[in-house]
Amino acid sequence: MDADTPTDEVLDELFATIESRKADLPEDSYTTTLFTHEKGENYVLEKLGEETTETILAAKDDDREELLYESADLVYHLLVVLSMNDASLDDLRDELKTRF
């Protein structure tokens, strides 16, 4: 991720990186391991559950720094799940728009 990326573009750049790793499967990438794990999608879903729990615990403990850290992990793993299911950030944005 480029340090010069404007804050409002970070999710788009992260998702583009996830999509790139899905297509190229570089060997030294954690994202590649999520796409190629022997458990398949279940592995990422387990990670998503783990990050959800850690986010909840950080919020419960009123630990803002940990809450932000775990929330970033949660969002990353959610974006991987979206990518695995051929959904995009625009699809997510469209769904969110229908809710208000």
Side-chain angles (χ1 to χ4, degrees), residues 4-5 8 27 29-30 32 45 51 53 71-72 75 87 100:
D4 295 330
T5 299
D8 61 345
E27 288 184 27
S29 166
Y30 173 68
T32 295
L45 296 175
E51 299 305 341
T53 299
S71 294
V75 168
F100 59 93

Side-chain angles (χ1 to χ4, degrees), residues 80-100:
V80 171
V81 170
L82 289 175
S83 177
M84 283 184 149
N85 287 277
D86 297 320
S88 69
L89 275 180
D90 286 338
D91 295 330
L92 180 59
R93 286 184 184 105
D94 289 344
E95 179 61 29
L96 288 169
K97 276 170 75 171
T98 69
R99 303 209 177 184
F100 59 93

Side-chain angles (χ1 to χ4, degrees), residues 5-17:
T5 299
T7 303
D8 61 345
E9 295 176 16
V10 168
L11 287 177
D12 293 287
E13 189 168 328
L14 175 59
F15 194 75
T17 300

Side-chain angles (χ1 to χ4, degrees), residues 29-51 76-78 80-81 84:
S29 166
Y30 173 68
T31 304
T32 295
T33 65
L34 296 175
F35 282 108
T36 61
H37 196 276
E38 63 188 17
K39 287 183 166 182
E41 187 180 36
N42 283 342
Y43 182 68
V44 177
L45 296 175
E46 289 170 11
K47 293 299 292 179
L48 187 62
E50 175 186 319
E51 299 305 341
Y76 163 76
H77 286 89
L78 176 59
V80 171
V81 170
M84 283 184 149

Side-chain angles (χ1 to χ4, degrees), residues 45-79:
L45 296 175
E46 289 170 11
K47 293 299 292 179
L48 187 62
E50 175 186 319
E51 299 305 341
T52 300
T53 299
E54 291 171 352
T55 301
I56 291 167
L57 293 174
K60 187 176 183 310
D61 292 342
D62 293 322
D63 186 339
R64 185 177 188 278
E65 186 176 324
E66 189 69 11
L67 174 62
L68 292 172
Y69 182 88
E70 296 302 341
S71 294
D73 284 350
L74 176 60
V75 168
Y76 163 76
H77 286 89
L78 176 59
L79 294 180

